[in-house]
Amino acid sequence: MNQQVKVVVISGNFNASTSSEFQKNIKEVIASGIKIVLIDCHSVTFMDSFGLGTLVSTFKTLQESGIKMVICSANEQVKMLFELTGMDSKFTIVPSQEAFENLLVSAS
């Protein structure tokens, strides 16, 4: 993976009780000088509105820091949540890490 990209994997139920570790990781990423954060959702079994809110606030925080956020490998429940809330038009969402890597290669 590109040196300017940090992959953050979220897993299980992504909600109020599990998002604090994620937010801690994001603070570390911002401090590291990374240019792109790839949030890999392949192991997420459920995401509620709090989890979605965490992603929205993360998106805004990263954007303010000049860091691009990309989401990959979302399951059907997560994709539906993004679509129902209109966040699918705000987030950059790719099917997999491989698709993201291909996107990086074609952009360079």
Side-chain angles (χ1 to χ4, degrees):
M1 188 69 64
N2 186 309
Q3 295 293 329
Q4 295 296 313
V5 177
K6 172 68 176 168
V7 178
V8 178
V9 177
I10 54 178
S11 60
N13 291 335
F14 190 60
N15 54 31
S17 63
T18 59
S19 66
S20 60
E21 183 68 26
F22 172 80
Q23 291 172 320
K24 184 179 144 211
N25 288 341
I26 293 301
K27 287 178 184 171
E28 292 171 5
V29 166
I30 291 170
S32 72
I34 291 294
K35 300 293 181 206
I36 302 172
V37 175
L38 178 64
I39 299 178
D40 189 327
C41 298
H42 80 273
S43 296
V44 172
T45 53
F46 176 78
M47 183 182 299
D48 66 6
S49 60
F50 192 92
L52 176 64
T54 299
L55 287 180
V56 171
S57 66
T58 298
F59 175 76
K60 290 177 181 176
T61 301
L62 290 173
Q63 197 171 41
E64 290 167 2
S65 299
I67 301 169
K68 184 171 176 63
M69 182 176 104
V70 179
I71 297 173
C72 76
S73 306
N75 67 27
E76 288 306 311
Q77 184 266 326
V78 173
K79 286 182 199 172
M80 187 180 303
L81 182 61
F82 292 162
E83 290 169 6
L84 290 171
T85 58
M87 294 314 298
D88 60 325
S89 65
K90 301 287 183 195
F91 294 152
T92 301
I93 303 169
V94 295
S96 64
Q97 278 196 33
E98 183 179 322
F100 172 74
E101 290 170 15
N102 291 339
L103 188 65
L104 280 182
V105 169
S106 67
S108 57

